[in-house]
């Protein structure tokens, strides 16, 4: 393995710290719908719907009025960094259709120093439908 630059060493150290934090989470931070909703309702988490625009059918989580939800498409994620909380301990749940883009964004957030990031492993469309049903819109 080649020698790491100072920047790469810093990033590697941040990754190591985040891995240790994730070891303390059930399922390494992967959550089902019930746990994800609990994090939003009880822990004050923000929800990031990170589906690329081409993968959104109907409304995104923000348009569906899920509390504290933001649409931050994976392929444009860096354009939405200003909506992220200043407090790096804020709970954040990332979501998409299968967890692939959500897992990537979770990793990006962790490299940025966010300590309490979780991935919703289900389909965000199911969450939106559940939210709408609960509000009586379906």
């Amino acid at each position: 393995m080649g020698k790491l630059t100072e920047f790469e060493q810093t990033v590697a150290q941040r990754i190591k710290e985040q891995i240790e934090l994730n070891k303390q989470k059930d399922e390494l931070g992967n959550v089902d719908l019930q746990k994800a909703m609990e994090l939003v309702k009880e822990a004050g988490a923000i929800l990031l719907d990170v589906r690329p625009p081409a993968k959104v059918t109907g409304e995104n989580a923000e348009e569906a009025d899920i509390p504290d939800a933001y649409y931050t498409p994976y392929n444009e994620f860096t354009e939405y960094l200003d909506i992220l909380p200043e407090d790096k301990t804020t709970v954040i749940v990332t979501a998409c259709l299968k967890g692939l883009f959500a897992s990537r964004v979770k990793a990006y957030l962790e490299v940025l120093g966010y300590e309490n990031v979780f991935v919703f492993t289900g389909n965000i469309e199911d969450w939106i439908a559940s939210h709408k049903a609960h509000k009586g819109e379906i």
Side-chain angles (χ1 to χ4, degrees), residues 1-2 6 10 12 14 19 30 32 48 55 59 68 70 76 79 98 106-108 117 122 128 134:
M1 180 184 248
E6 185 177 331
T10 301
R14 176 76 48 95
I19 289 170
N30 294 304
D32 62 13
L48 301 181
K55 299 288 185 181
E59 295 178 313
D68 298 311
Y70 300 93
E76 301 168 9
E79 295 175 30
K98 297 179 183 176
K106 177 183 184 287
Y108 301 155
V117 186
I128 291 168
H134 180 72

Side-chain angles (χ1 to χ4, degrees), residues 18-31 39 91-92 106 110 114-119:
Q18 292 299 332
I19 289 170
E20 290 305 313
L21 287 171
N22 282 321
K23 287 179 182 178
Q24 298 170 27
K25 299 174 188 171
D26 291 339
E27 301 295 322
L28 299 173
N30 294 304
V31 296
L39 288 168
V91 180
I92 300 172
K106 177 183 184 287
E110 290 173 337
Y114 289 90
E115 299 176 6
N116 294 308
V117 186
F118 296 83
V119 172

Side-chain angles (χ1 to χ4, degrees), residues 41-100:
K41 288 180 182 177
E42 297 173 16
I46 64 166
L47 169 65
L48 301 181
D49 179 348
V50 300
R51 293 174 291 165
K55 299 288 185 181
V56 177
T57 57
E59 295 178 313
N60 62 52
E62 185 174 354
E63 292 169 336
D65 291 325
I66 294 177
D68 298 311
Y70 300 93
Y71 180 56
T72 57
Y74 167 77
N75 54 327
E76 301 168 9
F77 185 71
T78 57
E79 295 175 30
Y80 292 89
L81 296 177
D82 61 329
I83 65 106
L84 296 175
E86 288 185 32
D87 180 355
K88 303 283 180 145
T89 64
T90 301
V91 180
I92 300 172
V93 178
T94 61
C96 59
L97 296 175
K98 297 179 183 176
L100 301 174

